[in-house]
Amino acid sequence: MTENIDNKLGQKIATLRAAHHLSAADLAQRCSCDVSVIEGLERGELPPSLAPLIKITRALGVRLGTLMDDDEAFGPVYINSDQMEEVTRLKSLQTASDAGDLSYFSLAASRPSRHMDPFIITITPSGETDHELVGHEGEEWLFGMEGCIEIEYGKETYVLHPGESIYYDSIVPHQVRAHEGQNAKFLAVVYTPL
């Protein structure tokens, strides 16, 4: 993700936090995360990942899309295939974890007041063998597009091939990662209640 997008997202977090009269430490406590995560995100120094952002938005009482939205245009959001290739490079969240390098492209960044957040996510494997499972409120639907992904969900592991889908409650600790060291791409729709 570009530094400019990190800074915009960080500025939104800082603005919302200040509007709630919270210090970075207060927000970190509400999110059950380290204060350095909040400070790093606000300064644009940490690559944002989905799980902490969901916790932050819950603590601030806003949608995940509020942090990622570029403007407040109403009506449908239409993205053609040419725009998809270009915008993927400009408006994605990227994060590295034991799941590999993940790049999130929001398919509805310009749609305000939405209840779902659709993403195209690409995974490049990291080679890590330890897997940290994380739960958060909401639901997720994943649809395999290229390569295979593994979804470790509680005590079960599912392999999602292209053309297959899975729907689950996000509160159960889970992790999505590349399967057998291959690159993969999938569509994810995340619902996080306010």
Side-chain angles (χ1 to χ4, degrees):
M1 179 162 54
T2 66
E3 183 178 337
N4 186 38
I5 293 183
D6 282 345
N7 287 341
K8 282 185 181 180
L9 187 135
Q11 289 169 357
K12 287 182 181 181
I13 293 171
T15 300
L16 289 165
R17 178 179 57 72
H20 285 82
H21 306 288
L22 297 172
S23 68
D26 294 334
L27 182 56
Q29 184 178 5
R30 286 187 180 192
C31 298
S32 301
C33 69
D34 193 276
V35 69
S36 64
V37 172
I38 303 297
E39 293 169 344
L41 287 170
E42 288 185 359
R43 289 190 301 261
E45 296 172 356
L46 285 179
S49 62
L50 203 53
L53 290 180
I54 288 172
K55 289 179 181 181
I56 289 168
T57 56
R58 283 294 288 164
L60 294 172
V62 298
R63 301 174 299 104
L64 175 62
T66 299
L67 297 181
M68 299 179 65
D69 293 347
D70 286 338
D71 59 48
E72 296 293 316
F74 289 95
V77 175
Y78 173 77
I79 299 173
N80 66 33
S81 59
D82 292 336
Q83 291 168 317
M84 180 75 73
E85 289 301 316
E86 182 61 26
V87 178
T88 299
R89 294 185 201 100
L90 301 175
K91 294 185 179 177
S92 65
L93 283 176
Q94 293 177 352
T95 184
S97 72
D98 59 2
D101 294 325
L102 286 77
S103 177
Y104 300 80
F105 166 60
S106 176
L107 294 170
S110 60
R111 171 70 182 183
S113 303
R114 63 185 178 270
H115 300 283
M116 300 178 295
D117 284 295
F119 298 97
I120 296 290
I121 302 176
T122 57
I123 300 178
T124 304
S126 66
E128 296 287 329
T129 56
D130 293 332
H131 307 296
E132 179 184 355
L133 306 184
V134 178
H136 53 83
E137 291 188 44
E139 300 172 352
E140 296 178 32
W141 176 77
L142 312 180
F143 178 81
M145 296 172 65
E146 297 173 10
C148 295
I149 58 172
E150 287 182 15
I151 301 91
E152 189 171 351
Y153 183 78
K155 295 181 180 183
E156 301 291 326
T157 300
Y158 301 88
V159 176
L160 192 68
H161 298 85
E164 298 178 343
S165 70
I166 187 170
Y167 189 110
Y168 53 85
D169 290 316
S170 308
I171 197 73
V172 175
H174 61 281
Q175 184 190 66
V176 178
R177 58 182 176 263
H179 177 66
E180 295 183 348
Q182 60 184 293
N183 294 339
K185 180 186 283 188
F186 61 99
L187 171 63
V189 179
V190 179
Y191 166 72
T192 308
L194 284 179

